[in-house]
Amino acid sequence: GENVEQHPSTLSVQEGDSAVIKCTYSDSASNYFPWYKQELGKGPQLIIDIRSNVGEKKDQRIAVTLNKTAKHFSLHITETQPEDSAVYFCAAAYSSASKIIFGSGTRLSIRP
Amino acid sequence: EAGVVQSPRYKIIEKKQPVAFWCNPISGHNTLYWYLQNLGQGPELLIRYENEEAVDDSQLPKDRFSAERLKGVDSTLKIQPAELGDSAVYLCASSSEGRNEQFFGPGTRLTVL
């Protein structure tokens, strides 16, 4: 089955700087890669996703890149703000199965 | 549009007691998921429903866990009897037909003493 590894487990960046979170997946059949943000006491919230027919996707300050050959995908957050502090999860799925496998999460802290 | 609703938000029980969690998905979403989230880890799928049919329950510990989704809307997840290791957050999510995007509820934090 699919296995998703996520690094780093914790990340602290200065406000205004960029943050990068990296993930790898094992199943080459996976073709859907969502990223979720989870704040304390809340459920995960989808912030951006990318499908395997696209190499990069951007939405304001966040962007995702996908390297299908290497089975790597990354989340980039630019101009970080205090409200970006949260736990971020990457995930992978084979769309027709609708089963999402999550990484172990990255706790992002933004230093003022 | 209302999001996924879960109740209770918190539950504390003694081991060997039964417990039940309730989920109301987003209106119109035919797919419903129950996930288990242990502290410091990502969610893990327990069961997935397409309407009222459980189409993936391979990760559900069937000796003590059960779930139902009568009428294909609300769902209940039950544990009987609860064990210390069941302490975790139980998340419910839903998605619309043919779409990958899953929308999560706030979860129920279970503590088994």
Side-chain angles (χ1 to χ4, degrees):
Chain A
E2 175 64 275
N3 182 51
V4 177
E5 295 193 357
Q6 182 171 348
H7 301 280
S9 58
T10 60
L11 180 61
S12 179
V13 301
Q14 193 76 32
E15 182 177 352
D17 287 351
S18 296
V20 180
I21 302 171
K22 299 182 178 181
C23 292
T24 60
Y25 61 100
S26 61
D27 190 347
S28 57
S30 291
N31 58 6
Y32 174 67
F33 306 93
W35 286 87
Y36 284 84
K37 175 182 181 183
Q38 188 172 26
E39 297 176 319
L40 194 63
K42 297 183 179 180
Q45 177 186 13
L46 179 69
I47 56 172
I48 194 167
D49 56 17
I50 190 169
R51 299 183 188 275
S52 59
N53 59 345
V54 175
E56 184 174 356
K57 183 177 180 180
K58 188 174 182 179
D59 183 4
Q60 299 183 341
R61 296 187 297 109
I62 59 174
V64 291
T65 58
L66 172 64
N67 182 330
K68 287 189 297 182
T69 303
K71 298 181 192 171
H72 290 175
F73 57 116
S74 300
L75 176 72
H76 304 251
I77 306 175
T78 59
E79 301 173 15
T80 53
Q81 300 171 4
E83 54 264 36
D84 294 330
S85 293
V87 179
Y88 291 81
F89 292 97
C90 63
Y94 178 57
S95 59
S96 66
S98 298
K99 183 173 183 175
I100 292 179
I101 305 300
F102 286 82
S104 55
T106 296
R107 182 175 297 279
L108 175 63
S109 301
I110 307 301
R111 304 190 303 270
Chain B
E1 179 184 85
V4 176
V5 179
Q6 291 187 249
S7 68
R9 291 296 315 278
Y10 305 91
K11 189 72 175 180
I12 301 174
I13 60 172
E14 299 278 339
K15 63 181 180 181
K16 300 185 182 180
Q17 293 301 306
V19 65
F21 315 124
W22 176 80
C23 173
N24 180 242
I26 292 173
S27 178
H29 282 192
N30 67 317
T31 306
L32 184 145
Y33 313 78
W34 283 103
Y35 286 89
L36 167 70
Q37 186 175 27
N38 286 307
L39 188 64
Q41 297 183 24
E44 299 173 33
L45 182 69
L46 289 172
I47 190 169
R48 174 169 66 96
Y49 281 92
E50 296 285 348
N51 298 305
E52 62 273 8
E53 182 182 359
V55 296
D56 184 356
D57 63 355
S58 58
Q59 301 303 311
L60 189 73
K62 298 180 183 65
D63 57 336
R64 297 184 300 108
F65 286 64
S66 65
E68 61 182 13
R69 192 185 183 197
L70 301 176
K71 301 181 181 179
V73 181
D74 295 2
S75 178
T76 302
L77 177 68
K78 298 178 181 178
I79 308 175
Q80 182 171 9
E83 297 179 352
L84 294 176
D86 295 332
S87 295
V89 175
Y90 291 82
L91 293 163
C92 179
S94 69
S95 64
S96 58
E97 187 171 2
R99 301 293 299 271
N100 281 110
E101 297 87 341
Q102 296 184 21
F103 297 86
F104 283 82
T108 296
R109 180 175 295 279
L110 174 66
T111 301
V112 182
L113 303 177

